[in-house]
Amino acid sequence: MYNGIGLQTARGSGTNGYVQRNLGAIRHHKDKTTYKTEQQLQKLDENINKGPNIEIMIHERKRKIELKCLEMQELMEEQGYEEAEVEEKVSLYRKMLLEKEQDAGVVSTPTLDEAGRPVTKDSHQLAEANRAKNVKLRDAFGLSEFYVDGSSLDPNRKHKELEAKAKAAAQTKYRYVPTFDVTGVQVA
């Protein structure tokens, strides 16, 4: 007997005492199929289409900028620069990196490997890459951004898409963009 399983002794049992599982037993739970409920399917759909958190991505980029500034500061201090000069150059470097970041935009694409997959492990950057991939795929198939899954069989689909497009256009706010002539003077 091992771990409390099997016979105490094989004597008188007519067997050698070797323990094996009963292959003749019928297991009913193997045949039972469990289907997902509508709520579970909706939750899975939301997780698949979940967008990135822009604030976290911005914070991560700012953290990387500060890390670069700290490395530069340590390098300059090791080389023997004065404290005031180090602070001045680091602040200029920080301003340059922040301006470069603002020019790049709020959401930047992560680096891709040779197969075209994102190299990042951050879930928000992966979500952004997935969103960009879905936009490219939607454009390739010619689907509008207001398309709803499963609506292709709906006879009023075009009408609903036009309503959604009109609603989005009504919410869009435009602002006046000034124009300048060649000399740099603002034209009305």
Side-chain angles (χ1 to χ4, degrees), residues 1 55 114 184:
M1 170 165 73
E55 290 84 22
E114 60 274 354

Side-chain angles (χ1 to χ4, degrees), residues 15 21 63-64 96 103 132:
T15 67
R21 69 177 216 206
R63 190 189 66 77
K64 286 180 182 176
M96 182 203 58
D103 291 342

Side-chain angles (χ1 to χ4, degrees), residues 33-156:
T33 305
T34 55
Y35 297 102
K36 296 194 182 311
T37 64
E38 286 296 322
Q39 291 174 340
Q40 290 171 333
L41 290 174
Q42 187 176 9
K43 188 172 184 180
L44 287 173
D45 240 7
E46 288 173 2
N47 287 341
I48 289 172
N49 298 326
K50 192 174 187 181
N53 189 336
I54 303 298
E55 290 84 22
I56 291 177
M57 293 176 70
I58 291 172
H59 176 76
E60 185 66 26
R61 273 192 231 104
K62 286 180 181 177
R63 190 189 66 77
K64 286 180 182 176
I65 288 173
E66 286 301 318
L67 182 65
K68 288 179 184 178
C69 291
L70 184 64
E71 288 173 353
M72 180 181 173
Q73 181 179 357
E74 288 177 356
L75 182 68
M76 290 180 73
E77 287 174 355
E78 286 176 4
Q79 291 177 355
Y81 285 95
E82 293 180 19
E83 190 69 30
E85 189 177 2
V86 169
E87 287 297 323
E88 179 184 341
K89 289 193 178 202
V90 168
S91 66
L92 287 174
Y93 184 61
R94 182 178 292 116
K95 283 181 185 178
M96 182 203 58
L97 289 175
L98 286 173
E99 287 175 6
K100 184 179 174 185
E101 184 68 31
Q102 287 176 350
D103 291 342
V106 176
V107 179
S108 63
T109 57
T111 57
L112 304 174
D113 64 359
E114 60 274 354
R117 296 178 301 244
V119 181
T120 182
K121 295 203 186 316
D122 182 23
S123 63
H124 299 285
Q125 288 180 345
L126 286 174
E128 175 59 28
N130 191 25
R131 187 197 61 76
K133 181 184 77 167
N134 288 342
V135 166
K136 285 173 67 176
L137 197 64
R138 187 177 60 224
D139 290 343
F141 287 135
L143 300 174
S144 77
E145 63 181 287
F146 304 107
Y147 177 76
V148 179
D149 290 340
S151 67
S152 59
L153 299 175
D154 186 10
N156 298 327

Side-chain angles (χ1 to χ4, degrees), residues 4-15:
I5 300 171
L7 302 171
Q8 289 284 339
T9 177
R11 274 189 158 172
S13 67
T15 67

